[in-house]
Amino acid sequence: MSNEGVIYRISGPVVTATGMSAAMYDVVRVGHEGLMGEVIELHGEKAVIQVYEDTSGIRPGEPVLNTQETLSVSLGPGLLTQIYDGIQRPLPTLEKEMGVFITRGVDADAFDLEKIWTFEPQVAVGDEVVGGQVIGHVQETETIIHKIMVPPTASGTVKSIESGDFNVTQTVCVLEDGTEMQMMQKWPVRTPRPFQQKYAPDTPLVTGMRILDFLFPLAKGGAAGIPGPFGSGKTVTQQSLAKYSDAQLVVYIGCGERGNEMTEVLDEFPHLIDPNTGKPLMERTVMIANTSNMPVAAREASVYTGITIAEYFRDMGYDVALMADSTSRWAEAMREISSRLEEMPGEEGYPAYLSSRIAEFYERAGRVETLSGDDGSVTVIGAVSPPGGDISEPVSQGTLRIVKVFWGLDAGLARQRHFPAINWLNSYSLYPQSLDQWFRDNISQDFPEVRTQISGLLQIESELQEIVQLVGSDALPTDQQLTLEVARMIREFFLQQNGFHDVDAYCDIHLQYRMAKAILSFQDAAKSAMANGAQLNDVVNVPSRSDLMRARLEKGYIDVIDSMVETMTAEIADTVEEN
Amino acid sequence: MTGKEYRTITDVKGPLVFLNKTEPVAFGEIVTLRLSNGTIKNGQVLDTSDDLVIVQVFEGTSKIDREAGVTFMGDVFKLPVSTDLVGRILDGAGRPRDGGPEIVADEKADIIGAAINPYSRQSPNDFIQTGVSAIDLCTSLVRGQKLPIFSASGLPHNDIALQIARQAKLKDSDEEFIVVFCAMGITAEEYNFFRSDLERTGALENAVLFVNLADDPAVERIITPRLALTAAEYLAFEKDYHVLVIYTDMTNYCDALRQIGAAREEVPGRRGYPGYMYTDLAMLYERAGIVKGKKGSITQFPILTMPGDDITHPIPDLSGYITEGQIVISRELHQQGIYPPINVLPSLSRLMGSCIGEKTTREDHKSVSDQMYAAYAQGRELRGLVAIVGEDALNERDKQLLDFSGVFEDKFLRQTRDEDRSIEETLDLCWTLMSSIDTKYLVRLEQTWIDKYHPDNKA
Ligand SMILES: Nc1ncnc2c1ncn2[C@@H]1O[C@H](COP(=O)(O)OP(=O)(O)OP(=O)(O)O)[C@@H](O)[C@H]1O
Ligand SMILES: [Mg+2]
């Protein structure tokens, strides 16, 4: 059989071709317009293809051409600051070619193949190099050095190596066996890139969001799921992480969500400064936008495109964070394709392999020793959009089985405008044990103990609240009333954080610790004042406490917080005398 | 290949017709069916192969037999568009319904519509004043937004939609919207209500109506909103108009989707709706917005009725996952005799942040909105408590908040159907109403605004 076949059947994004030799996951060109597709099933003579563009108007009998390549991404300088669709076509190029509406049949290089980059060699003639080894550097953006690596499968002795200005397709290094290397390489998206070994994570991804860093920390190389009903804050949280987390690189995938949200990122990021480096955020970001109205098959591919790019930067020794908003839309794309294939459905119509696909995806997160012996990581944060907000459904469950961090968004909190609306009672992180040492060494020796006290207070509050519901808070003994006040302070002063606030949207981890300590200082001061006869009301209402709380919205809080706490404790002590 | 008539129908099932032995037929191609009694029906190809073609018939399959002749028209569904559309009433398949002439096409536009390149979008940030206090203050509408009304049967969502259509304008501007109205499966009575209101106010001249009524074919509802949006896109992006698309009732649209899914024996998703309903709805809702380099805009105001008043039902649920907020209508408020019965607590406008404030509405808008919301939320919660412990158990603050929740509904929410409040009037009203609460309890108001706007401080 040849590379060329003909269309037998078209059913939405699924096209069947006959008369063509094909292997699974071959990339094919469908119809006279050459729409891009991928072989996803073989039935005897017939190859079933998912097509990444709209298929209306295509007829049986039109040609299908097998490129015999697998769906791959192009990797090399030029990736950063780009915005791609699900199959790595740059959206600015599509705009140039098609105008503001995405039509079809247009190919576009993932980045400018003509652009000249300055290549600085890191190896010399005669050096032995192995797959994954860095052979040269390119200063891609102000903050990021793009490391040019030997493709994972190649190795040998360097016969020649260039230095100076080249485009990504020019050969910069030749091995003795004749292997030529360019700054651009390709990698199939469905195959994880290799590494030497996975390490247990021991460093947190510091996000600047208090509830996350303090109560439910995520490790660099870890995976987190954020399920929540519509309007509860998945996107705002993901965008905050993209803005403020201390990853060196961010891959942001808008998977089957709103167009305007991507526009927002595009408008905002170039003007935002990375609090960790002081440089524009865009310089460390790659975006993938396959919105809800773009073809579903490309939506299915988008998460693989994203994670492969993330792994590539990981292999250079970077800490990469990947956000996927929303993995539910990815799962739905799988369901739609699966139902067109008339596969036997599993739970809620999802294919039976749903949970294994989810697991495989999150397994591509991790902190690794790269092929070149560096330390790199991919942290994955996936939003989940459960129907009706009920997480007993298959995508949420499949995710929770594999991720170690669960940030549960709560419609009730969102309705009370308590943001981030992360439920502190049912969320969890399984990382604290492995991260505690880092917190002790880098923030404070007693960090884990402070955390335990804070979360303990919230726990007690929830138990007390049940009683309050029945008898009113006045019926509680004063020490318990104080506990309620302290817990309220935790919620309103510490957990709440407006994702759009100029100052408070990002909170330095050292400041987080001091804010938590401030709450505990309030508790201690109040307890001892009350033991000496002070009234709860007086203690709670000292003006310096509200000053302390309000000041978090001002710049330079970290410089004044300790003295404000001193003023507060002194004022609380004074309430004893008033009586 | 147009012209050749096939008589190869093998099966007819629900809205679907199956036929075999055809020339190659395009996916999505338009089809006409000629029945033995001479009736003509239209359809579209849903699945095509060398052996079998599946056609979805818009007018329903009643009276179709195996003798019916099927002609493939050689093209996908297109709507003739031109500015002549403005002022016209068309049926659910785009044919004149007002007795007027056929639309003379400037061009023919594919009704599926292409996705707007996310890179080519422009962030919506122009505040639309609807004159409805609850919306303007708490869920501000932005030009280019998609903001649905989540309602339920028997509630006055149509009045609200009409009031918005009548009153919506950019602040300090007379620029009017072109209204594209899309009816899907509503009753003749509801339709007449809309039409006569648009006629009465003269708005009909600036509107295009696509009308599929309850007794029109259900399957046709699948294309009606696509026609409406295609017209809207043409007017907005080719002719620079600001277009407001109102469609009602999305629930009937979704039910038609479900019907087709069932006929195709697809694996159903929740409550029998197809698994691809999210994507399908997104293909409609995402056709709202503003694009770079074009003057016009599309703002969408879909209306849906929540079956069983249940917001977790797949129709409101999936809509909420796509739209940029929602305005929720409350049966309870309606029963209390309050119009418009908007429950601001579950309502949300996600784009509000970008369109309010000093430059666009007024400097105190955000704090006033937060404070009104918080005070009302607390007051509402206290109602529950009072039912158990009695009003006497409340402290002074709680008593004031409880009273305020009543005032909020009676004085703030309540307005007449033709009362068009400017945003300044709305904000001033808020300050007057909030003065019934001791200032020390109004913790969300900045002192600067209290000094400037609180009635006690205004001379
Ligand atoms: N951290 C936050 N700070 C301030 N406001 C927030 C925060 N999180 C959420 N919000 C508010 O909630 C709204 C909805 O949030 P978001 O868009 O993130 O929801 P979502 O969970 O992504 O919903 P969907 O599933 O429909 O996409 C925002 O527009 C904003 O008004
Ligand atoms: Mg979202």
Side-chain angles (χ1 to χ4, degrees):
Chain A
M1 280 204 287
S2 79
N3 281 345
E4 242 190 280
V6 292
I7 297 177
Y8 163 74
R9 175 182 175 192
I10 303 142
S11 172
V14 172
V15 165
T16 311
T18 54
M20 174 182 78
S21 69
M24 282 296 274
Y25 304 123
D26 280 351
V27 170
V28 296
R29 296 288 171 177
V30 175
H32 296 305
E33 290 175 70
L35 308 184
M36 186 166 160
E38 186 184 9
V39 175
I40 53 169
E41 203 172 88
L42 295 170
H43 282 301
E45 268 259 275
K46 293 191 177 113
V48 183
I49 298 156
Q50 65 176 0
V51 181
Y52 294 119
E53 298 177 81
D54 177 37
T55 53
S56 40
I58 312 289
R59 291 168 200 276
E62 289 190 33
V64 181
L65 181 73
N66 189 344
T67 65
Q68 285 175 328
E69 286 171 10
T70 44
L71 186 66
S72 301
V73 283
S74 302
L75 302 165
L79 280 170
L80 291 172
T81 75
Q82 262 299 3
I83 177 163
Y84 292 116
D85 74 353
I87 47 173
Q88 216 202 2
R89 296 184 302 177
L91 293 176
T93 312
L94 295 190
E95 184 188 77
K96 230 174 274 157
E97 301 274 330
M98 314 171 169
V100 297
F101 289 99
I102 297 181
T103 52
R104 60 187 191 192
V106 173
D107 272 338
D109 294 321
F111 33 79
D112 188 349
L113 302 183
E114 299 307 322
K115 182 163 176 172
I116 301 295
W117 301 92
T118 305
F119 176 83
E120 292 171 31
Q122 303 293 314
V123 293
V125 172
D127 284 358
E128 288 294 327
V129 295
V130 295
Q133 189 167 335
V134 176
I135 54 166
H137 285 177
V138 170
Q139 190 75 44
E140 184 176 352
T141 63
E142 218 182 315
T143 41
I144 301 293
I145 293 177
H146 196 114
K147 299 178 187 165
I148 307 300
M149 296 171 288
V150 177
T153 47
S155 65
T157 312
V158 176
K159 184 174 165 203
S160 70
I161 177 97
E162 303 289 345
S163 169
D165 294 349
F166 298 91
N167 70 31
V168 293
T169 58
Q170 286 171 315
T171 298
V172 289
C173 179
V174 183
L175 301 183
E176 290 290 358
D177 66 2
T179 309
E180 295 187 349
M181 289 181 242
Q182 296 81 29
M183 284 192 267
M184 181 176 80
Q185 49 181 287
K186 291 202 164 202
W187 189 263
V189 297
R190 296 184 197 279
T191 312
R193 284 176 61 89
F195 48 82
Q196 299 214 29
Q197 59 168 321
K198 262 196 188 179
Y199 293 129
D202 62 1
T203 312
L205 181 82
V206 179
T207 67
M209 284 173 77
R210 290 184 287 268
I211 187 167
L212 305 187
D213 292 340
F214 213 83
L215 294 184
F216 311 113
L218 171 59
K220 288 204 172 97
I226 324 182
F230 67 79
S232 57
K234 296 179 291 296
T235 303
V236 176
T237 305
Q238 297 259 38
Q239 292 188 356
S240 296
L241 292 171
K243 289 178 199 165
Y244 305 124
S245 70
D246 66 346
Q248 289 162 300
L249 271 129
V250 168
V251 177
Y252 192 97
I253 311 175
C255 173
E257 292 285 314
R258 302 173 184 83
N260 276 335
E261 290 175 346
M262 298 315 293
T263 314
E264 206 177 288
V265 175
L266 282 170
D267 284 351
E268 210 182 351
F269 274 37
H271 307 292
L272 286 177
I273 298 299
D274 177 353
N276 303 291
T277 62
K279 294 288 180 330
L281 269 180
M282 207 59 196
E283 306 225 319
R284 65 165 197 185
T285 311
V286 182
M287 273 192 284
I288 294 168
N290 211 95
T291 55
S292 53
N293 55 341
M294 287 159 75
V296 283
R299 190 200 298 172
E300 192 272 336
S302 67
V303 301
Y304 296 104
T305 299
I307 198 139
T308 308
I309 292 172
E311 286 174 341
Y312 172 66
F313 283 108
R314 171 204 69 190
D315 292 345
M316 299 177 200
Y318 288 119
D319 290 317
V320 185
L322 175 138
M323 291 96 205
D325 184 12
S326 159
T327 60
S328 293
R329 308 305 169 214
W330 166 57
E332 283 164 10
M334 282 192 259
R335 174 167 69 185
E336 185 169 342
I337 304 288
S338 160
S339 96
R340 301 270 184 184
L341 297 179
E342 287 156 20
E343 288 174 342
M344 182 75 137
E347 220 181 325
E348 293 193 15
Y350 285 105
Y353 46 78
L354 173 75
S355 61
S356 62
R357 290 278 167 87
I358 292 175
E360 281 160 21
F361 169 66
Y362 282 104
E363 270 303 295
R364 291 176 75 170
R367 200 183 131 222
V368 304
E369 181 186 355
T370 65
L371 291 182
S372 61
D374 268 338
D375 192 337
S377 67
V378 173
T379 311
V380 174
I381 302 126
V384 185
S385 316
D390 176 1
I391 61 162
S392 65
E393 54 87 41
V395 185
S396 303
Q397 288 303 312
T399 305
L400 293 184
R401 265 200 298 278
I402 182 106
V403 299
K404 290 208 167 66
V405 174
F406 167 60
W407 295 326
L409 288 165
D410 187 305
L413 289 173
R415 211 166 306 131
Q416 290 165 34
R417 303 286 198 260
H418 173 111
F419 291 121
I422 294 170
N423 184 321
W424 52 90
L425 294 173
N426 68 10
S427 297
Y428 60 76
S429 163
L430 301 180
Y431 288 116
Q433 267 79 359
S434 38
L435 301 178
D436 276 354
Q437 200 53 48
W438 187 93
F439 284 115
R440 283 190 207 283
D441 294 347
N442 291 276
I443 312 300
S444 173
Q445 266 310 317
D446 65 347
F447 188 100
E449 289 71 30
V450 173
R451 171 174 51 219
T452 310
Q453 287 188 56
I454 296 286
S455 54
L457 282 161
L458 290 167
Q459 200 63 48
I460 297 173
E461 182 197 33
S462 83
E463 287 156 21
L464 290 178
Q465 285 294 1
E466 286 178 20
I467 306 175
V468 172
Q469 294 297 321
L470 297 175
V471 297
S473 62
D474 286 350
L476 293 181
T478 48
D479 62 326
Q480 293 190 341
Q481 289 188 34
L482 173 64
T483 305
L484 287 181
E485 277 302 329
V486 176
R488 184 150 83 137
M489 188 167 174
I490 299 176
R491 285 190 280 112
E492 292 179 0
F493 165 68
F494 192 75
L495 298 185
Q496 282 195 20
Q497 206 176 343
N498 183 338
F500 303 107
H501 194 277
D502 292 341
V503 175
D504 199 38
Y506 168 77
C507 184
D508 185 278
I509 177 85
H510 293 91
L511 178 57
Q512 297 182 20
Y513 170 76
R514 291 209 232 164
M515 287 172 72
K517 285 290 265 196
I519 296 169
L520 298 179
S521 302
F522 164 71
Q523 185 183 32
D524 292 344
K527 268 191 187 156
S528 76
M530 285 162 65
N532 291 313
Q535 296 293 313
L536 173 68
N537 234 330
D538 297 337
V539 166
V540 168
N541 287 323
V542 293
S544 53
R545 187 169 77 114
S546 37
D547 293 345
L548 168 81
M549 288 169 61
R550 206 168 314 118
R552 78 176 199 281
L553 302 177
E554 311 283 337
K555 283 208 177 83
Y557 189 42
I558 195 157
D559 304 325
V560 296
I561 180 167
D562 289 348
S563 69
M564 294 187 90
V565 171
E566 269 170 44
T567 315
M568 174 186 70
T569 37
E571 247 184 65
I572 291 173
D574 287 347
T575 58
V576 178
E577 276 128 60
E578 285 166 19
N579 280 276
Chain B
M1 124 196 17
T2 314
K4 183 162 178 190
E5 191 176 86
Y6 294 92
R7 290 179 188 276
T8 54
I9 294 179
T10 57
D11 295 66
V12 181
K13 190 164 67 177
L16 305 181
V17 165
F18 299 71
L19 66 166
N20 58 20
K21 294 198 266 320
T22 59
E23 304 282 309
V25 168
F27 178 71
E29 189 166 340
I30 287 303
V31 177
T32 39
L33 295 99
R34 203 166 47 79
L35 275 50
S36 34
N37 65 4
T39 319
I40 300 288
K41 295 192 183 226
N42 299 290
Q44 187 175 15
V45 174
L46 280 191
D47 198 320
T48 170
S49 70
D50 289 349
D51 306 324
L52 179 73
V53 174
I54 306 177
V55 175
Q56 156 191 323
V57 182
F58 299 135
E59 293 90 345
T61 46
S62 119
K63 294 278 174 221
I64 294 183
D65 57 18
R66 295 187 51 196
E67 302 309 312
V70 181
T71 311
F72 297 94
M73 306 306 284
D75 203 353
V76 297
F77 206 127
K78 291 192 168 156
L79 177 74
V81 285
S82 79
T83 41
D84 291 350
L85 281 167
V86 179
R88 296 297 303 272
I89 304 176
L90 307 171
D91 72 6
R95 294 168 295 230
R97 192 191 161 101
D98 51 7
E102 292 288 328
I103 304 296
V104 180
D106 234 17
E107 57 186 84
K108 292 189 124 205
D110 182 351
I111 68 158
I112 300 299
I116 299 174
N117 185 332
Y119 179 76
S120 313
R121 281 181 184 267
Q122 202 176 305
S123 289
N125 48 22
D126 291 326
F127 172 77
I128 297 177
Q129 177 179 297
T130 66
V132 177
S133 287
I135 297 174
D136 290 349
L137 182 79
C138 300
T139 55
S140 312
L141 176 65
V142 189
R143 194 153 71 176
Q145 185 174 17
K146 38 192 181 293
L147 189 64
I149 299 186
F150 285 9
S151 188
S153 47
L155 298 180
H157 40 264
N158 292 341
D159 299 68
I160 298 173
L162 276 169
Q163 185 165 5
I164 291 166
R166 269 197 313 269
Q167 299 180 173
K169 58 172 174 295
L170 280 199
K171 197 172 161 264
D172 307 322
S173 138
D174 300 325
E175 214 174 344
E176 287 204 6
F177 284 96
I178 295 269
V179 173
V180 172
F181 176 79
C182 169
M184 293 167 288
I186 62 172
T187 62
E189 191 185 328
E190 280 174 290
Y191 164 61
N192 288 332
F193 175 73
F194 269 103
R195 205 190 60 184
S196 57
D197 191 89
L198 292 171
E199 255 165 14
R200 178 176 65 86
T201 57
L204 200 54
E205 286 163 36
N206 267 329
V208 193
L209 276 58
F210 289 88
V211 184
N212 166 287
L213 296 183
D215 55 359
D216 288 331
V219 178
E220 191 182 270
R221 274 162 221 163
I222 301 297
I223 53 169
T224 314
R226 294 185 161 79
L227 297 169
L229 289 163
T230 304
E233 274 167 2
Y234 173 79
L235 293 170
F237 302 136
E238 304 288 329
K239 298 292 164 191
D240 298 344
Y241 288 109
H242 294 293
V243 182
L244 182 65
V245 184
I246 299 178
Y247 28 121
T248 181
D249 177 342
M250 283 309 286
T251 304
N252 296 331
Y253 171 83
C254 293
D255 287 346
L257 268 189
R258 177 164 68 176
Q259 206 180 319
I260 293 167
R264 294 190 70 183
E265 293 176 3
E266 288 166 350
V267 182
R270 283 173 75 220
R271 309 237 184 149
Y273 293 95
Y276 49 79
M277 194 157 88
Y278 172 84
T279 303
D280 191 280
L281 288 174
M283 304 280 281
L284 304 178
Y285 295 143
E286 278 288 319
R287 291 171 82 173
I290 308 178
V291 294
K292 281 192 245 163
K294 310 259 179 189
K295 291 213 187 79
S297 64
I298 297 180
T299 309
Q300 287 192 21
F301 224 70
I303 300 172
L304 60 86
T305 48
M306 300 183 279
D309 292 13
D310 176 10
I311 199 168
T312 68
H313 184 282
I315 297 171
D317 190 51
L318 293 178
S319 297
Y321 271 122
I322 305 164
T323 54
E324 288 146 345
Q326 66 279 338
I327 294 171
V328 181
I329 312 289
S330 148
R331 189 173 300 280
E332 191 193 325
L333 289 170
H334 178 63
Q335 282 163 350
Q336 286 171 42
I338 289 167
Y339 175 89
I342 295 172
N343 184 355
V344 299
L345 301 180
S347 300
L348 173 73
S349 163
R350 303 187 192 208
L351 303 183
M352 176 167 171
S354 63
C355 80
I356 62 168
E358 193 184 345
K359 292 200 191 76
T360 49
T361 56
R362 207 168 81 182
E363 53 194 2
D364 56 331
H365 189 153
K366 173 141 182 31
S367 347
V368 171
S369 171
D370 288 350
Q371 183 62 68
M372 289 283 287
Y373 182 97
Y376 178 60
Q378 288 165 14
R380 282 273 298 240
E381 216 175 290
L382 288 165
R383 282 185 196 167
L385 190 67
V386 167
I388 306 169
V389 298
E391 201 160 329
D392 291 343
L394 296 187
N395 60 28
E396 185 50 34
R397 172 177 174 273
D398 288 354
K399 279 199 189 101
Q400 291 186 6
L401 288 171
L402 179 69
D403 290 344
F404 176 77
S405 69
V407 170
F408 182 97
E409 291 167 0
D410 193 42
K411 297 270 171 14
F412 172 74
L413 285 186
R414 192 196 294 281
Q415 64 187 87
T416 59
R417 282 170 171 72
D418 46 22
E419 188 176 351
D420 188 356
R421 294 187 193 151
S422 72
I423 182 67
E424 287 82 7
E425 285 168 337
T426 292
L427 288 167
D428 289 343
L429 173 66
C430 294
W431 282 102
T432 310
L433 301 180
M434 286 190 296
S435 67
S436 69
I437 304 175
D438 214 324
T439 328
K440 68 170 181 272
Y441 302 136
L442 299 173
V443 292
R444 302 202 182 219
L445 294 176
E446 278 97 331
Q447 194 58 43
T448 349
W449 310 147
I450 296 181
D451 293 343
K452 189 163 172 188
Y453 295 106
H454 196 284
D456 289 356
N457 302 322
K458 276 182 143 174

